[in-house]
Amino acid sequence: MRVIARGTLLALIFLALTLLQSTGQAQALQKTVRVKLTTLNFPLQISGGGISIRGIKKTDIKNISIPRVDESFRVDNHKVGGKNIWFINKGDSFPLKRLSEKYIEIDSSSSQVEISGYKVSTPVLITQAGEIIAAMPLNNYLEGVLAGEMPASWPIEALKAQAVAARSYTLFQINQRKNNIFQLEGSVLDQVYSSSISPDQLSVIKQALAETEGMVLTHQNKIIKAYYHSDCGGRTEDPERIWGGARSNINSVEDRYCAFNPHSQWIFEISLEEMRKKIESPIKSIRIVNTTPSGRAALIAFNVSDDKNILISGNELRKILGFQKLRSTLFSVRLDRDRITFAGRGFGHGSGLCQYGARYMAQKGAKVQEILKHYYPTARLLEVSHVANL
């Protein structure tokens, strides 16, 4: 029974997207999270024990008669006659099977497979774009998020604040993306998810989740998209100042607590030639055109000729250069001959909970409610059963 339940889990979830309509059913569905773990390039080399494969359409499940194998095999996907076709091969032999379904599901009796060197718990869905998607219970997902987003060695009240923020963000995204193939990215594009958790880490993480069970951040009885980040650099930012859009219910607040992060200040240097390649244009000068109320670079102008500037937002520039390199948009910039130097503070987008600030508050005795009230001053902490947008 265990293997059958795991092998059909993803398929049943995807069928449920179009079949479940009642409030009770929707709430049950939202206890499961579909997360994109990574994207890999074809062909995929898959190995594990007792592997089974099935082709899946959104409205149909088709069992594929591929024998269970304990050795590795290869999965490829490319267009044939205008259609994406899956090719399942063992070694260099002719394909064991050709599938035209939209997705394939990989399951294993050993609960884990290795896909091109990437270890995942099964079952997983693979899309025609090489996206590896897992469906898992909400709490299991949140355990991985807490492991990926905040050290388990930090004070428990900070971990509890992180748990509430992550739960709120997750449930908001589940509702917003309920018809999408996946609801959350397992990276900084949503929340960092870690599948590697030590027993000691897991014990503390489970405590933080249990002591905040069902608690979410709300505004007018609706769950908010509770952004959070590593270090705000002294003041958090309104989300709309970062990503645009309508006025949010998360307000900018002064934060004196994250000043105690010893790694808050940073310098990133890049050669002028490398920067030219990044923006595909020569560069004569650089300047910050305007900043947000918290001092973040909102728009940067790269002068490429006497009468032409390339304008790039601060957030987009972080994507171009790398989020780990250009650690925030709270920076100054200088061009000196053949080198560009960014000098900044903080780490992350700067909206919502500041993790280093939460850590310091917890070290000084603040409880989870006080921490959340500081970073989400207009939000209300409620049991999930009392909210409207589920």
Side-chain angles (χ1 to χ4, degrees):
M1 291 297 292
R2 175 177 172 273
V3 173
I4 293 173
R6 288 192 307 105
T8 59
L9 175 62
L10 273 173
L12 291 174
I13 290 168
F14 282 93
L15 284 175
L17 288 176
T18 55
L19 298 177
L20 300 183
Q21 298 296 328
S22 71
T23 301
Q25 288 170 318
Q27 288 175 338
L29 181 63
Q30 289 173 1
K31 292 180 182 178
T32 300
V33 183
R34 300 191 304 279
V35 55
K36 187 180 88 173
L37 301 175
T38 189
T39 301
L40 301 173
N41 295 323
F42 289 111
L44 305 174
Q45 196 69 32
I46 300 177
S47 59
I51 296 174
S52 62
I53 307 168
R54 65 175 58 225
I56 296 176
K57 297 178 181 178
K58 271 198 172 182
T59 56
D60 181 41
I61 303 173
K62 182 180 179 182
N63 290 307
I64 305 303
S65 57
I66 295 175
R68 290 180 177 273
V69 292
D70 290 312
E71 64 262 39
S72 64
F73 62 96
R74 190 170 67 250
V75 171
D76 207 348
N77 184 286
H78 52 84
K79 284 190 181 294
V80 177
K83 290 186 177 181
N84 280 83
I85 303 296
W86 296 95
F87 292 85
I88 316 298
N89 296 69
K90 284 180 66 177
D92 296 322
S93 63
F94 289 108
L96 288 172
K97 205 76 178 179
R98 296 185 184 191
L99 313 178
S100 60
E101 278 69 31
K102 194 167 186 179
Y103 317 107
I104 61 169
E105 181 190 75
I106 303 294
D107 195 15
S108 168
S109 61
S110 64
S111 303
Q112 192 176 71
V113 295
E114 189 170 297
I115 306 177
S116 296
Y118 187 87
K119 292 183 179 180
V120 294
S121 297
T122 57
V124 291
L125 200 75
I126 304 176
T127 73
Q128 294 169 350
E131 297 162 324
I132 312 300
I133 300 168
M136 62 191 77
L138 174 62
N139 253 29
N140 288 22
Y141 169 69
L142 291 176
E143 288 170 3
V145 170
L146 261 66
E149 288 284 359
M150 182 175 281
S153 59
W154 283 19
I156 188 63
E157 295 300 314
L159 284 161
K160 286 160 68 173
Q162 177 66 67
V164 174
R167 184 183 295 113
S168 304
Y169 185 95
T170 300
L171 291 174
F172 182 94
Q173 293 295 70
I174 286 176
N175 186 53
Q176 291 293 108
R177 301 172 177 172
K178 56 191 171 189
N179 294 320
N180 292 9
I181 185 71
F182 61 87
Q183 298 152 320
L184 291 118
E185 300 258 9
S187 69
V188 293
L189 295 177
D190 272 311
Q191 300 180 118
V192 176
Y193 172 82
S194 174
S195 59
S196 178
I197 311 174
S198 71
D200 289 344
Q201 282 180 306
L202 188 58
S203 175
V204 177
I205 287 169
K206 282 182 176 291
Q207 179 186 350
L209 289 169
E211 292 182 8
T212 62
E213 185 174 7
M215 299 305 296
V216 289
L217 290 158
T218 68
H219 181 74
Q220 296 179 349
N221 284 6
K222 292 184 178 180
I223 297 175
I224 67 170
K225 192 175 184 179
Y227 292 108
Y228 56 88
H229 59 282
S230 180
D231 177 354
C232 71
R235 187 172 187 86
T236 66
E237 188 57 272
D238 298 336
E240 63 271 19
R241 303 282 186 180
I242 304 168
W243 298 286
R247 181 80 175 89
S248 75
N249 41 45
I250 297 179
N251 297 330
S252 171
V253 298
E254 186 178 354
D255 187 14
R256 64 183 185 274
Y257 306 110
C258 66
F260 297 93
N261 173 15
H263 308 294
S264 184
Q265 296 191 18
W266 51 266
I267 291 176
F268 169 61
E269 292 185 333
I270 184 171
S271 71
L272 185 60
E273 182 58 31
E274 189 177 353
M275 193 65 173
R276 283 172 179 162
K277 292 177 182 178
K278 295 283 188 183
I279 69 170
E280 299 179 342
S281 187
I283 300 169
K284 297 182 70 175
S285 65
I286 306 170
R287 66 186 177 90
I288 296 172
V289 178
N290 54 49
T291 59
T292 68
S294 68
R296 288 170 168 79
L299 197 63
I300 300 95
F302 291 82
N303 181 243
V304 298
S305 68
D306 290 341
D307 58 354
K308 184 180 178 182
N309 288 314
I310 294 177
L311 300 177
I312 301 177
S313 73
N315 201 45
E316 185 61 29
L317 188 60
R318 289 192 69 212
K319 287 183 183 179
I320 293 170
L321 297 178
F323 293 113
Q324 297 293 324
K325 293 178 179 179
L326 194 61
R327 295 168 65 86
S328 76
T329 56
L330 193 59
F331 61 74
S332 61
V333 60
R334 184 180 77 254
L335 172 58
D336 186 13
R337 295 184 181 179
D338 62 348
R339 203 144 199 86
I340 300 170
T341 302
F342 297 88
R345 300 195 316 275
F347 190 9
H349 52 67
S351 182
L353 176 78
C354 172
Q355 292 167 327
Y356 269 96
R359 178 195 189 190
Y360 185 80
M361 289 182 72
Q363 287 174 335
K364 294 302 179 181
K367 300 299 183 185
V368 57
Q369 295 88 344
E370 185 181 348
I371 295 170
L372 293 173
K373 187 65 178 176
H374 174 68
Y375 291 107
Y376 308 97
T378 62
R380 186 181 177 194
L381 199 59
L382 286 180
E383 287 278 354
V384 70
S385 57
H386 297 158
V387 302
N389 58 334
L390 275 181

